[in-house]
Amino acid sequence: MNDFTYRLLGLCGGHCWAEAIDIIEREYSGVSEEEVLATLDLLKGRGFFSHRFLDREIQHPNMDELWQHKPRRLQLFLAQKCNLACRYCYAENSGSNARNKLMGWDVAKSAVDYLVKRSGERENLRVTFFGGEPLLNYKVLRRVVVYCDELSQRTGKKFSFELITNGTLLNKEIADYVAERNFSLLISIDGWREMHNFQRPSVDGRDYYDTILNNAKYIVKRYRELKSRTRIFIRANMTPRYHDARKIVDYLEGQGFNSVGVSSIVSLPYDDETPGALTREQMDVIDSDYEQLLLEILLDLEQGRRLSPYRNRYISTMVMHKLKEGMTLGITCGIGRNTNAVDCDGNIYPCHRYVGMDKYIIGDIFSGLSPSRTMGLYHEYNQCALKECSGCWAHRICAGGCAWERSAPDGAIYERMPTDCERFRRTIEKFMWLDKEMRKRCPGVYSDMQKSRGRGDEEIKNWSWD
Ligand code: SF4
Ligand code: SF4
């Protein structure tokens, strides 16, 4: 994207086309009106300025498309209980963990059957073991894997598995099994001992920090020994007390973890006191720090320096993939379509974060999805986006943001907070700026990234601390 196109896109956020053309002509002496019009047409052709999915007239076909989609992924809540009580945990806040239940084998089996049936002709399916802490129900986890093996033989479907765990119970026996079966893995470690224990206290008051760290190190070692290409992701969360992303990443990479991610706990539009949420001011500081990080990474790339795994992944996800992927489907993520989350009683929710929020049960694994509830959710969500997003240039990419963040426990769908919209648009502007800078300053790396989306991931997998 050249300079004036980037500027033009920014101008279209607050000006009509005629004004935008005027300003461009004044600011860029060599650019003619025809050129600006041609660029506007090109952007339009790529889906910018279009609100196709916000149009009331086409709500129905769009809804149908959402409904017909075959799911690929099942999120099984093996345990609606946990041995930790993290300050920011949505399963604690939604009341999911308070149900204090483990999933029985009959429910787990029926959930897998449900996925196979609903997935239609899709061949590759994924089962994610979720909770609470899913390893509290390790026996059922093992039975699910065996059952999926049997189903593979009978139906030709291929299953992959994913485990989201707090790491406390990931002992040697379980780690060996998980590594052998090549699960994708996400382990939550918030940083150093004091930080982790403050944010993720245990229910019984014991300090599990060493256990978690040692378990995580052991399983990382096992994956390396097995030369597994599957990533073990270590995720940390930032809260008002601890929000120095670089310090957290440096610490965790220093422990030998190659795939570290840091998330911000954000406040929700319907809740002034979202537990563990960062303040707007803190979010602004974090944003400027990420901007600074981008500048440093660009300089590293320009000067041919090797990036750390975190920096590598950060830059490769920032390169403009998302802008090139075409229109979004009205709801950006896979809720109720690619993904179904199932609780211990067999209720289906749009995604893992909704589990425990009764107003968002969209069906059950025994009788299937309820069309009225599922379509009702999409409809409500799109109606809300219709009001709020119709004048926003970023709609093609955002489509209203994370549905869960806008869904209040009483069933009301809220608008995204204007400050969050601003932040999102700034991020997209950063994507565009980065795209432009990389073409100019490090065209070789840029074209490699364009050729292979997974390049960053490959480098992370091949990274060695030796
Ligand atoms: S940034 Fe805000 S206004 Fe724009 S599409 Fe997203 S939610 Fe809607
Ligand atoms: S983006 Fe939000 S609604 Fe969508 S899957 Fe993620 S948490 Fe759920």
Side-chain angles (χ1 to χ4, degrees):
M1 183 174 291
N2 58 30
D3 260 347
F4 98 78
T5 310
Y6 175 65
R7 173 80 174 119
L8 184 61
L9 205 49
L11 287 171
C12 287
H15 300 267
C16 68
W17 282 21
E19 283 170 352
I21 293 170
D22 259 7
I23 296 172
I24 290 288
E25 281 184 328
R26 260 184 276 125
E27 289 183 5
Y28 296 83
S29 52
V31 179
S32 66
E33 183 176 340
E34 287 69 34
E35 220 173 318
V36 183
L37 282 168
T39 307
L40 284 168
D41 273 347
L42 185 84
L43 289 170
K44 207 173 155 203
R46 294 237 180 141
F48 282 93
F49 320 126
S50 165
H51 297 97
R52 187 162 78 86
F53 291 101
L54 293 181
D55 187 335
R56 281 175 200 277
E57 299 297 310
I58 57 119
Q59 283 274 325
H60 285 299
N62 184 25
M63 291 289 120
D64 262 5
E65 217 174 309
L66 291 167
W67 173 248
Q68 299 299 342
H69 199 88
K70 309 279 183 232
R72 185 179 75 83
R73 185 173 176 199
L74 179 69
Q75 297 176 322
L76 266 190
F77 270 61
L78 287 186
Q80 284 184 275
K81 62 197 280 188
C82 192
N83 52 354
L84 299 188
C86 307
R87 289 173 191 268
Y88 46 71
C89 175
Y90 51 84
E92 289 284 325
N93 301 326
S94 69
S96 175
N97 283 351
R99 309 261 162 112
N100 200 21
K101 281 184 174 175
L102 296 180
M103 183 177 279
W105 165 238
D106 51 339
V107 172
K109 177 178 177 296
S110 304
V112 175
D113 289 338
Y114 165 82
L115 173 68
V116 169
K117 191 167 156 214
R118 259 218 93 208
S119 62
E121 62 289 348
R122 295 191 89 151
E123 193 185 352
N124 295 310
L125 305 180
R126 166 158 288 215
V127 177
T128 301
F129 298 109
F130 241 111
E133 174 46 48
L135 290 179
L136 288 167
N137 201 0
Y138 180 57
K139 271 195 192 144
V140 170
L141 180 152
R142 290 284 293 254
R143 283 187 80 173
V144 169
V145 176
V146 171
Y147 184 56
C148 289
D149 287 348
E150 281 169 34
L151 281 176
S152 280
Q153 302 221 319
R154 268 194 270 142
T155 63
K157 301 270 184 194
K158 293 186 184 127
F159 288 90
S160 62
F161 302 100
E162 182 179 31
L163 173 64
I164 315 294
T165 177
N166 63 29
T168 51
L169 303 172
L170 192 61
N171 58 29
K172 193 165 172 302
E173 181 212 329
I174 298 177
D176 286 342
Y177 177 74
V178 164
E180 215 175 276
R181 295 301 311 226
N182 202 27
F183 278 34
S184 296
L185 202 62
L186 186 151
I187 307 173
S188 297
I189 305 178
D190 274 354
W192 48 96
R193 181 190 304 274
E194 184 204 4
M195 172 186 180
H196 180 93
N197 285 348
F198 174 76
Q199 295 188 167
R200 303 179 63 82
S202 66
V203 171
D204 63 12
R206 275 180 55 197
D207 177 353
Y208 286 94
Y209 188 71
D210 290 331
T211 308
I212 296 166
L213 204 62
N214 291 336
N215 288 349
K217 286 182 179 177
Y218 176 77
I219 198 161
V220 166
K221 182 168 122 312
R222 285 297 292 139
Y223 273 58
R224 283 191 190 142
E225 284 166 1
L226 293 169
K227 301 205 178 344
S228 168
R229 296 168 68 83
T230 305
R231 190 195 299 174
I232 298 178
F233 194 64
I234 304 293
R235 188 190 51 202
N237 286 300
M238 292 188 284
T239 63
R241 191 186 284 206
Y242 300 101
H243 50 270
D244 186 337
R246 286 182 196 236
K247 198 169 158 195
I248 297 167
V249 170
D250 285 349
Y251 175 82
L252 290 170
E253 287 195 337
Q255 295 296 318
F257 302 122
N258 293 349
S259 284
V260 175
V262 189
S263 314
S264 305
I265 304 292
V266 294
S267 54
L268 303 170
Y270 55 85
D271 183 0
D272 289 343
E273 291 177 11
T274 312
L278 293 156
T279 64
R280 301 281 144 200
E281 293 72 30
Q282 286 166 336
M283 294 287 284
D284 287 344
V285 172
I286 291 167
D287 276 357
S288 354
D289 195 38
Y290 277 128
E291 274 165 31
Q292 179 58 32
L293 181 67
L294 260 191
L295 293 174
E296 290 171 21
I297 295 175
L298 268 175
L299 198 64
D300 283 346
L301 289 174
E302 209 173 19
Q303 298 183 351
R305 279 195 289 270
R306 194 177 183 208
L307 300 181
S308 73
Y310 178 75
R311 287 182 171 217
N312 210 329
R313 198 177 52 256
Y314 184 66
I315 194 83
S316 54
T317 51
M318 283 292 276
V319 172
M320 288 177 58
H321 297 315
K322 205 163 181 196
L323 297 180
K324 296 179 185 209
E325 280 173 0
M327 289 289 288
T328 53
L329 248 182
I331 292 181
T332 41
C333 60
I335 52 167
R337 292 178 288 133
N338 267 341
T339 298
N340 287 172
V342 175
D343 75 4
C344 292
D345 297 321
N347 294 312
I348 303 173
Y349 300 79
C351 86
H352 60 288
R353 284 183 144 185
Y354 283 96
V355 172
M357 296 165 80
D358 290 347
K359 293 276 180 192
Y360 297 92
I361 293 175
I362 51 174
D364 64 71
I365 50 168
F366 309 105
S367 49
L369 281 183
S370 148
S372 59
R373 285 183 170 225
T374 311
M375 306 286 260
L377 175 70
Y378 291 148
H379 184 74
E380 280 297 305
Y381 183 77
N382 274 350
Q383 283 302 308
C384 182
L386 186 70
K387 278 190 267 153
E388 176 193 352
C389 309
S390 53
C392 173
W393 63 261
H395 178 261
R396 174 177 170 263
I397 307 142
C398 168
C402 165
W404 174 80
E405 284 179 5
R406 302 170 60 165
S407 307
D410 64 3
I413 307 280
Y414 278 68
E415 292 183 357
R416 202 176 193 187
M417 285 191 276
T419 42
D420 289 341
C421 292
E422 255 168 57
R423 177 164 290 111
F424 180 82
R425 284 189 289 258
R426 274 211 308 273
T427 305
I428 298 302
E429 282 170 5
K430 259 183 270 171
F431 282 5
M432 295 194 270
W433 174 83
L434 178 69
D435 191 81
K436 180 167 72 77
E437 287 299 301
M438 283 192 70
R439 279 171 199 244
K440 200 163 65 190
R441 291 164 61 178
C442 34
V445 182
Y446 178 83
S447 86
D448 281 355
M449 282 185 179
Q450 293 299 312
K451 272 187 234 143
S452 159
R453 275 159 162 262
R455 179 180 179 277
D457 286 351
E458 281 308 309
E459 291 202 358
I460 289 160
K461 282 171 203 152
N462 297 333
W463 178 272
S464 152
W465 290 96
D466 305 329

